[in-house]
Amino acid sequence: MIKIALAQFDFAVGSVHKNIELSRQLIAEATDNGADLVFFPELSITGYPPEDLLLRSGFLEAVDDAIKQLAVETTGIDVIIGHPGSYSGKRYNCLSWLSAGKIRTTYQKQRLPNYLVFDEHRYFQEGDKSEVIEINGHKLGLLICEDSWAPDVVTACVDAGAELLLVANASPYARGKFPHRVADMGDRCRENKCPMIYLNTTGGQDELVFDGRSLLIDASGELIASGPLCEDALLYCQLDQSGLQADWPIRELPELAEIYHVLVTGLRDYVYKNGFSEVVLGLSGGIDSALTLVLSADALGADNVHTLMMPSRHTSQLSLDLAIEQADMLGIDHQTISIEPSFTAFLDSLEPAFTGKPADITEENIQARCRGVIVMAMSNKFGWLPVSTGNKSELAVGYSTIYGDMAGGFAPIKDCAKTLVFELCEYRNSINPAIPQAVIDRPPSAELAPDQKDEDSLPPYSVLDAILEQYVELDHSVNDIVAQGFDPATVERVASMVLINEYKRRQAAPGVRITSRAFGRDRRYPITSGWRDKL
Amino acid sequence: MIKIALAQFDFAVGSVHKNIELSRQLIAEATDNGADLVFFPELSITGYPPEDLLLRSGFLEAVDDAIKQLAVETTGIDVIIGHPGSYSGKRYNCLSWLSAGKIRTTYQKQRLPNYLVFDEHRYFQEGDKSEVIEINGHKLGLLICEDSWAPDVVTACVDAGAELLLVANASPYARGKFPHRVADMGDRCRENKCPMIYLNTTGGQDELVFDGRSLLIDASGELIASGPLCEDALLYCQLDQSGLQADWPIRELPELAEIYHVLVTGLRDYVYKNGFSEVVLGLSGGIDSALTLVLSADALGADNVHTLMMPSRHTSQLSLDLAIEQADMLGIDHQTISIEPSFTAFLDSLEPAFTGKPADITEENIQARCRGVIVMAMSNKFGWLPVSTGNKSELAVGYSTIYGDMAGGFAPIKDCAKTLVFELCEYRNSINPAIPQAVIDRPPSAELAPDQKDEDSLPPYSVLDAILEQYVELDHSVNDIVAQGFDPATVERVASMVLINEYKRRQAAPGVRITSRAFGRDRRYPITSGWRDKL
């Protein structure tokens, strides 16, 4: 029999000393609870992804020292821990077995993801052999993340004698990915008649959220337990003649609840890990800032959120009222600072230069940028992280003002399409009232010109989002999308808007990735590009 | 005998149809001039790097169609051309030989760079065999860029029968890289007793500038000719019993002239390729905007450059005078728009919120952001690309205002350290007077507070830049840098400033890469990071 503790925890990127200290605490707790082995996630010493910190010799030396020190301290229990390691001048993504005061063996990841947000070929060489260790008479096969998606790598490990697969992961959340994980890992177990512990890390790291939900899967491929979503937990299980067992449940969650929880986690961790405790945002009376506000309140507590209504001549009374109504509902500090004086000052200053030129989008952008200046000033003066409120639909087509409403340190809903924003608001209100219904029901407007509505400039969001999902997330061509029955001129126009607005996205704040193709590390487009997708 | 035309040209990223049309014109010209073969650079059909356009099926289909069409048209001359290609469901970086109306053979790049700015493992599989073709009885070995840096790949090609190596490149400029290219390619020729044509593309593409300077190297490893820096040219050479010959010279250039020319190229191409013809920038009377102005005038012509002096209460008379003096020297449209009215309006609007709080960096940032709003407004109203003027030293340590002086579509000198900015100004003035000497001689100041000087907040630039080169460009640790005799507290402080300002750089405008470690695709750091480099 072997009792294994799974450290489904958030290991912070770059925080080598804190991660070692956390590891020590978890090892002590697992020892007290009679575990034989503590299993840590992929690159737990450095956090994931450490990116170009891996190219710094000083960083790698600190990691090496930490691993050696931890090995010396490790007696009376065994440890499997993730770290980068250099051998013969080459860097590997490693999993080391610490036992009886020594590093007993080190496994090197064999398959390196280099797609979507992953760049592992930039940092690592591929390992070329399986590693099976023996503890208490049980043979445990070591694998790291991408390895477990490769049937040949898993089979080689079982052929080398593994009776239980230990897969250390740093697998970020994307909508719809969890069932894939369960199905694919189930296939690996079934194909090889071998049970698996799939351990995932937790926590927000820049645009990524690691969702935890570690898996126990039996030799027939059945899921027998899953860890909590996005929450830290030291989870115990045991392997004996009757197989892999645990007393934690299979957890299931409706998709909107899952997405909402991921958004809260990503925002909370970005704020705290970057040394902030409070945030500030512009509250317009519209739905994007309404969702951003309640996410912020849920992530940080209402006392730590500050909202600004920054009206202009185009702001409706309804907007003023709804902003106050929502702030009051949630108990949020709400201030009103008009942009009329600064907007007017800019118009006056620019008047000689603009003589003879009609008003156009310039004047709309100046309003948005006056708000940007005020939000940033409040941030600078009070040390509040400025949060921007843009959604994925508007970022896709450039329906936002760079240095205006795009200004901010973090953009929690930047990967949420507008239609999803509506669904998330309805979901959140189903728990308790947090967003006035009138905010959800009113037609979206930027209120930068008289009687402006988003749908004057854009296709209806239901159409826009359907096209964007195919064009941006699935890389479908204009031809393919039109073939599904969408209006050709609309599809061409949307594709063109996406292509020509890359320059704005390149200067956008990071935000929580919830799809498998967010605007960020996921989607690397040239700004300068002659490509236009046409019929 | 075989006469070869080298198409050292700028093939624009994404512009498949334009690139094919350019290829046709060059093939026609080479045919008229009696060439047997036209040789095109790496991925010439798509431009380099096409980035995630390569993941779009519509894009790859357009490329396939274009290559097939070009093959059909190719008679009476042979063509070797670069393109992405899919075979058995896998994508490769290819070089195809078109001859007598057909695609005769396709070579697949064997070594894929995945470091610095390169991400080729994201897009391509590695080829696994040499390709030697025969034209006019001459055996020509095909290689692509990174292949030529791998001695084993080159030797395998010569072992397969090559008597001349044709290396198609898209190799971006970095300071000091050209002598390395010449030396390494010379080594390949010497090792294999085989001459080489090293063909490089030209032109600016977002942050990269491809510097051309194609090489002819004889079998003993001696450079016999080099193409022009950053300029398009159809270059001819011939191979016969007496070896490789050409009537163009070896071109050499002092390093500052080279860097200046690369900066002009990068700026010019970014502006034109993105559909602009004019630019606007804030001219402060300081050295950064002075260099940016003369670069802009050299790139686009003085008539297409617009400068704004945006004074505040802290702007000195000297600054006002020097800005006008330089604008007059160069014949630039120069306008003065005070930020006092908008700055005052913001201070008044924020006064209730700021009650009891002393003035601090907030008020400095508001000034910088008022300038950002004005530059962007002029850009919006007149269709001028806004150019920002920040240098690498200030971007490294965060000595700049996000959405303020950092606002802009392109940042020409963002990879130039402050000390290099001084050298480039002196270089440019050595050609003809372009920058008032007093701009170069006065102590740098942001003029955001009374009597402010950069060196009140930062180490002297000579010290700062020496530390930054080691910390940022060479990844040296704080320990290593201190060991060279720098003041420990200064090195720790600089390293810390670099680490904590990643969030600003993530929202910075792109700019011309001139070092081998620019802030951009080159250097991928987490914003959220617990790593602090200490003694």
Side-chain angles (χ1 to χ4, degrees):
Chain A
M1 200 275 279
I2 178 169
K3 182 170 176 182
I4 304 174
L6 314 186
Q8 177 183 304
F9 266 78
D10 179 3
F11 296 89
V13 163
S15 300
V16 176
H17 298 295
K18 272 192 207 160
N19 291 339
I20 285 289
E21 191 47 44
L22 173 59
S23 304
R24 277 195 189 102
Q25 289 168 19
L26 295 172
I27 292 168
E29 184 179 332
T31 305
D32 290 347
N33 285 311
D36 302 294
L37 170 66
V38 192
F39 181 32
F40 289 93
E42 180 177 16
L43 293 187
S44 58
I45 295 292
T46 60
Y48 192 94
E51 303 190 71
D52 281 8
L53 288 172
L54 289 168
L55 306 180
R56 304 200 72 87
S57 55
F59 183 72
L60 294 173
E61 283 161 19
V63 169
D64 264 7
D65 291 348
I67 287 284
K68 282 176 189 152
Q69 180 57 33
L70 196 66
V72 168
E73 297 168 14
T74 301
T75 54
I77 191 166
D78 284 9
V79 167
I80 295 172
I81 196 155
H83 62 96
S86 290
Y87 306 93
S88 310
K90 293 180 175 175
R91 222 178 297 113
Y92 297 88
N93 183 336
C94 300
L95 212 48
S96 279
W97 174 29
L98 315 184
S99 180
K102 290 196 175 120
I103 300 173
R104 289 283 297 274
T105 192
T106 296
Y107 171 69
Q108 299 168 344
K109 188 176 185 178
Q110 299 180 68
R111 294 296 160 88
L112 302 175
N114 210 76
Y115 51 78
L116 296 178
V117 299
F118 302 106
D119 281 312
E120 291 201 16
H121 276 285
R122 183 174 174 89
Y123 306 110
F124 299 119
Q125 302 290 313
E126 293 173 339
D128 60 3
K129 62 174 203 292
S130 304
E131 195 68 60
V132 176
I133 67 173
E134 188 172 325
I135 301 178
N136 284 10
H138 289 287
K139 292 192 163 178
L140 311 175
L142 306 185
L143 294 168
I144 305 176
C145 212
E146 192 79 359
D147 291 334
S148 67
W149 298 80
D152 57 328
V153 173
V154 178
T155 298
C157 185
V158 174
D159 288 349
E163 59 181 289
L164 172 65
L165 299 166
L166 299 183
V167 187
N169 297 274
S171 178
Y173 177 79
R175 193 176 178 176
K177 188 172 174 185
F178 184 68
H180 277 292
R181 268 189 213 144
V182 172
D184 264 64
M185 296 307 114
D187 287 348
R188 289 306 93 71
C189 292
R190 201 161 21 247
E191 289 153 8
N192 297 286
K193 300 186 179 58
C194 185
M196 175 191 288
I197 297 174
Y198 176 103
L199 170 61
N200 196 18
T201 189
T202 62
Q205 169 58 31
D206 287 350
E207 305 215 300
L208 305 180
V209 171
F210 297 92
D211 54 332
R213 295 200 278 191
S214 302
L215 309 174
L216 298 191
I217 302 174
D218 71 17
S220 70
E222 287 303 305
L223 181 65
I224 55 178
S226 61
L229 174 71
C230 292
E231 276 171 38
D232 292 345
L234 194 58
L235 302 163
Y236 295 90
C237 63
Q238 60 182 56
L239 180 73
D240 58 24
Q241 279 100 334
S242 57
L244 190 61
Q245 291 160 48
D247 57 4
W248 24 295
I250 296 174
R251 293 170 172 91
E252 297 194 48
L253 212 57
E255 191 172 52
L256 288 172
E258 172 189 293
I259 294 171
Y260 193 89
H261 196 61
V262 166
L263 292 171
V264 166
T265 302
L267 172 58
R268 181 198 65 205
D269 287 359
Y270 190 88
V271 172
Y272 289 158
K273 289 181 179 180
N274 283 291
F276 291 86
S277 55
E278 301 178 58
V279 299
V280 59
L281 60 111
L283 189 65
S284 70
I287 194 164
D288 295 321
S289 59
L291 177 60
T292 305
L293 170 56
V294 65
L295 283 167
S296 301
D298 287 343
L300 308 168
D303 289 352
N304 296 312
V305 181
H306 307 272
T307 51
L308 302 174
M309 162 50 85
M310 296 170 284
S312 79
R313 61 197 71 176
H314 302 302
T315 305
S316 64
Q317 188 60 44
L318 181 61
S319 294
L320 294 168
D321 294 344
L322 290 174
I324 289 173
E325 185 182 338
Q326 191 189 9
D328 286 348
M329 278 169 90
L330 299 170
I332 299 285
D333 164 38
H334 183 67
Q335 298 180 56
T336 299
I337 303 177
S338 170
I339 61 164
E340 276 298 321
S342 48
F343 179 42
T344 305
F346 280 122
L347 292 181
D348 290 347
S349 299
L350 288 161
E351 207 262 319
F354 284 4
T355 303
K357 290 273 182 183
D360 56 15
I361 195 154
T362 307
E363 287 74 15
E364 298 188 23
N365 284 338
I366 293 172
Q367 293 167 62
R369 291 189 181 117
C370 286
R371 296 192 174 105
V373 173
I374 289 171
V375 170
M376 294 305 296
M378 295 297 283
S379 166
N380 283 162
K381 189 63 86 184
F382 297 99
W384 302 334
L385 183 83
V387 166
S388 62
T389 61
N391 63 62
K392 189 175 195 172
S393 309
E394 65 185 37
L395 197 60
V397 297
Y399 196 72
S400 54
T401 301
I402 190 167
Y403 321 132
D405 50 304
M406 286 178 65
F410 200 69
I413 61 169
K414 80 179 273 200
D415 199 30
C416 300
K418 186 81 170 188
T419 44
L420 178 61
V421 170
F422 281 94
E423 293 177 71
L424 288 166
C425 287
E426 299 280 10
Y427 159 74
R428 182 59 185 78
N429 270 354
S430 75
I431 299 174
N432 69 335
I435 298 163
Q437 191 59 38
V439 169
I440 301 174
D441 294 340
R442 66 192 303 215
S445 166
E447 294 196 331
L448 294 170
D451 300 320
Q452 194 177 37
K453 300 279 173 292
D454 290 9
E455 294 191 359
D456 300 339
S457 317
L458 299 175
Y461 279 113
S462 58
V463 174
L464 178 64
D465 284 354
I467 295 172
L468 287 173
E469 183 182 8
Q470 298 206 37
Y471 192 74
V472 173
E473 292 178 29
L474 302 173
D475 284 332
H476 289 173
S477 67
V478 165
N479 265 327
D480 293 342
I481 301 171
V482 169
Q484 290 173 48
F486 289 93
D487 172 56
T490 305
V491 178
E492 276 195 352
R493 178 162 163 253
V494 170
S496 170
M497 291 169 93
V498 172
L499 289 167
I500 65 176
N501 281 294
E502 186 58 32
Y503 78 99
K504 284 191 190 176
R505 291 188 289 269
R506 197 69 72 88
Q507 295 190 40
V512 184
R513 175 191 194 252
I514 60 154
T515 71
S516 55
R517 194 69 65 84
F519 292 120
R521 289 276 201 265
D522 250 344
R523 191 176 180 281
R524 304 180 191 177
Y525 269 66
I527 296 175
T528 306
S529 167
W531 177 247
R532 295 293 176 269
D533 205 335
K534 293 190 180 296
L535 281 174
Chain B
M1 201 275 278
I2 178 169
K3 182 171 176 181
I4 305 174
L6 313 185
Q8 177 183 303
F9 266 77
D10 179 2
F11 296 89
V13 163
S15 300
V16 176
H17 298 295
K18 273 192 207 163
N19 291 338
I20 285 289
E21 191 46 44
L22 172 59
S23 305
R24 277 195 190 103
Q25 289 167 19
L26 296 172
I27 292 168
E29 184 179 332
T31 306
D32 290 347
N33 285 311
D36 302 294
L37 171 65
V38 193
F39 181 32
F40 289 93
E42 181 177 15
L43 293 187
S44 58
I45 295 293
T46 59
Y48 192 95
E51 303 190 73
D52 281 9
L53 288 172
L54 289 168
L55 307 180
R56 303 200 72 87
S57 54
F59 183 73
L60 294 173
E61 284 160 19
V63 169
D64 264 6
D65 292 348
I67 287 284
K68 282 176 189 152
Q69 179 58 33
L70 196 66
V72 169
E73 297 168 14
T74 301
T75 54
I77 191 166
D78 285 10
V79 167
I80 295 172
I81 197 155
H83 63 95
S86 289
Y87 306 94
S88 311
K90 293 179 174 175
R91 222 178 297 113
Y92 296 89
N93 182 336
C94 301
L95 212 48
S96 281
W97 174 29
L98 315 183
S99 180
K102 290 196 176 124
I103 300 173
R104 290 283 298 273
T105 192
T106 295
Y107 171 70
Q108 299 168 345
K109 187 176 185 179
Q110 298 180 68
R111 294 296 161 89
L112 303 174
N114 209 76
Y115 50 80
L116 297 177
V117 298
F118 302 106
D119 280 313
E120 291 200 15
H121 276 286
R122 182 174 174 89
Y123 306 110
F124 300 118
Q125 302 289 313
E126 293 173 338
D128 60 3
K129 63 172 203 292
S130 303
E131 195 67 61
V132 177
I133 66 173
E134 189 172 325
I135 301 177
N136 284 8
H138 289 287
K139 293 193 164 179
L140 312 175
L142 305 185
L143 295 168
I144 304 176
C145 212
E146 193 79 359
D147 291 334
S148 67
W149 297 80
D152 57 328
V153 173
V154 177
T155 298
C157 185
V158 174
D159 288 348
E163 59 181 291
L164 171 66
L165 298 166
L166 298 183
V167 188
N169 297 274
S171 179
Y173 176 79
R175 193 177 178 175
K177 188 173 174 184
F178 184 69
H180 276 292
R181 269 190 212 145
V182 172
D184 265 63
M185 295 308 114
D187 287 346
R188 288 307 93 69
C189 293
R190 202 161 20 248
E191 289 153 9
N192 297 286
K193 300 187 179 57
C194 185
M196 175 191 288
I197 297 174
Y198 177 102
L199 169 62
N200 196 18
T201 188
T202 61
Q205 168 59 31
D206 287 351
E207 306 216 298
L208 305 181
V209 172
F210 298 92
D211 54 334
R213 295 199 276 190
S214 301
L215 309 175
L216 298 191
I217 302 174
D218 71 17
S220 70
E222 287 302 306
L223 181 64
I224 55 178
S226 61
L229 174 71
C230 292
E231 276 170 37
D232 292 345
L234 195 59
L235 302 163
Y236 295 89
C237 64
Q238 61 182 57
L239 180 72
D240 58 23
Q241 278 100 335
S242 56
L244 190 60
Q245 292 160 46
D247 57 4
W248 23 294
I250 297 174
R251 293 170 172 90
E252 297 194 48
L253 212 57
E255 190 171 54
L256 289 172
E258 171 188 294
I259 294 171
Y260 193 88
H261 196 61
V262 166
L263 292 170
V264 166
T265 302
L267 172 58
R268 181 199 64 205
D269 287 358
Y270 190 88
V271 172
Y272 289 157
K273 289 181 179 179
N274 283 291
F276 291 87
S277 54
E278 301 178 58
V279 298
V280 59
L281 60 112
L283 188 66
S284 70
I287 194 163
D288 296 320
S289 59
L291 177 60
T292 305
L293 170 55
V294 66
L295 283 166
S296 301
D298 288 344
L300 307 168
D303 289 352
N304 296 313
V305 181
H306 307 272
T307 51
L308 302 174
M309 163 50 85
M310 296 171 284
S312 78
R313 63 198 70 177
H314 302 303
T315 305
S316 63
Q317 187 60 45
L318 180 62
S319 294
L320 294 167
D321 294 344
L322 289 174
I324 289 173
E325 183 182 338
Q326 190 188 11
D328 286 348
M329 278 170 90
L330 298 171
I332 300 285
D333 164 39
H334 183 67
Q335 298 181 58
T336 299
I337 302 177
S338 170
I339 62 164
E340 276 298 321
S342 48
F343 180 42
T344 305
F346 280 122
L347 292 181
D348 289 348
S349 299
L350 288 161
E351 207 263 319
F354 285 2
T355 302
K357 290 273 181 182
D360 56 16
I361 195 152
T362 307
E363 287 74 15
E364 299 188 21
N365 284 338
I366 293 172
Q367 294 167 63
R369 291 189 181 116
C370 286
R371 296 192 174 105
V373 173
I374 289 171
V375 170
M376 294 305 297
M378 294 298 282
S379 166
N380 283 163
K381 189 62 86 184
F382 296 99
W384 303 334
L385 183 83
V387 165
S388 62
T389 62
N391 64 61
K392 189 174 195 172
S393 309
E394 65 185 35
L395 197 60
V397 296
Y399 196 72
S400 54
T401 300
I402 190 167
Y403 321 132
D405 50 305
M406 285 179 67
F410 200 69
I413 61 170
K414 81 179 274 199
D415 198 30
C416 300
K418 186 80 170 187
T419 44
L420 179 61
V421 169
F422 280 95
E423 292 177 70
L424 288 167
C425 287
E426 300 279 10
Y427 159 75
R428 182 59 185 77
N429 270 353
S430 74
I431 299 174
N432 69 334
I435 298 161
Q437 190 59 39
V439 169
I440 301 174
D441 293 340
R442 67 192 303 215
S445 166
E447 294 196 329
L448 294 170
D451 300 321
Q452 194 176 36
K453 299 279 173 292
D454 290 9
E455 295 192 0
D456 300 340
S457 316
L458 299 175
Y461 280 113
S462 58
V463 174
L464 178 64
D465 284 354
I467 295 171
L468 288 173
E469 183 182 7
Q470 298 206 36
Y471 192 72
V472 173
E473 292 178 30
L474 302 173
D475 284 332
H476 289 173
S477 67
V478 165
N479 264 327
D480 293 342
I481 301 171
V482 169
Q484 290 173 48
F486 289 93
D487 172 57
T490 304
V491 177
E492 275 194 354
R493 180 164 159 253
V494 170
S496 171
M497 291 169 93
V498 171
L499 288 166
I500 65 176
N501 281 295
E502 187 57 32
Y503 78 99
K504 284 191 190 175
R505 291 188 289 268
R506 197 68 72 88
Q507 295 190 39
V512 185
R513 175 190 194 252
I514 60 154
T515 70
S516 55
R517 193 68 66 84
F519 292 120
R521 289 276 201 266
D522 250 343
R523 190 175 181 280
R524 305 179 190 177
Y525 269 66
I527 296 175
T528 306
S529 168
W531 176 248
R532 295 293 177 268
D533 205 336
K534 294 190 180 297
L535 282 173

